[in-house]
Amino acid sequence: VPCACIGLDVAQIDEAVSNGSARSWTGSRRVSTADVATLMRSSTMFINYVWAIAPQAVAINEAIIEAFGLPSNTNLYVTNPGLRFDSVPHSDGQDVFIFQCEGRKHWRVW
């Protein structure tokens, strides 16, 4: 995984968020791509512009643009199954289409 992320903006969401003891992202930080595999064990990893490492995402972005006439980007969040949370409760400033590829999660949408 780390070598596929070279040159990308990779962020570690604060471990305290993943274990449920924090309610903000203030401890989140950018990380070295070399540290991704180790850090994924204890926190959620966030990668922006996924289409740069997974060209298949381009087709998803293009379909969203064509269907809705809106700009599109693909972000990737990876959380180990043993972690309780991946994010703090929040609202986004843009429309969001969520596609969960694997595992289980309880989503609260409001």
Side-chain angles (χ1 to χ4, degrees):
V1 172
C3 62
C5 301
I6 291 174
L8 290 181
D9 188 18
V10 180
Q12 173 195 19
I13 295 178
D14 188 355
E15 290 180 36
V17 169
S18 296
N19 69 30
S21 63
R23 307 265 310 158
S24 79
W25 290 305
T26 56
S28 299
R29 62 191 177 99
R30 286 191 166 86
V31 296
S32 161
T33 55
D35 296 330
V36 169
T38 301
L39 294 171
M40 280 178 47
R41 295 183 193 126
S42 60
S43 58
T44 295
M45 302 307 296
F46 166 76
I47 301 172
N48 200 1
Y49 308 113
V50 171
W51 48 264
I53 59 169
Q56 305 87 328
V58 171
I60 296 169
N61 289 7
E62 288 175 345
I64 290 171
I65 292 167
E66 185 175 319
F68 301 109
L70 299 170
S72 178
N73 183 35
T74 305
N75 300 328
L76 175 68
Y77 294 81
V78 180
T79 304
N80 264 347
L83 299 177
R84 187 162 177 217
F85 301 97
D86 66 348
S87 185
V88 296
H90 67 282
S91 60
D92 291 304
Q94 68 279 350
D95 294 324
V96 177
F97 176 79
I98 299 170
F99 179 72
Q100 183 166 333
C101 300
E102 191 173 315
R104 291 184 303 173
K105 179 175 176 137
H106 177 84
W107 290 91
R108 291 185 183 173
V109 181
W110 62 94

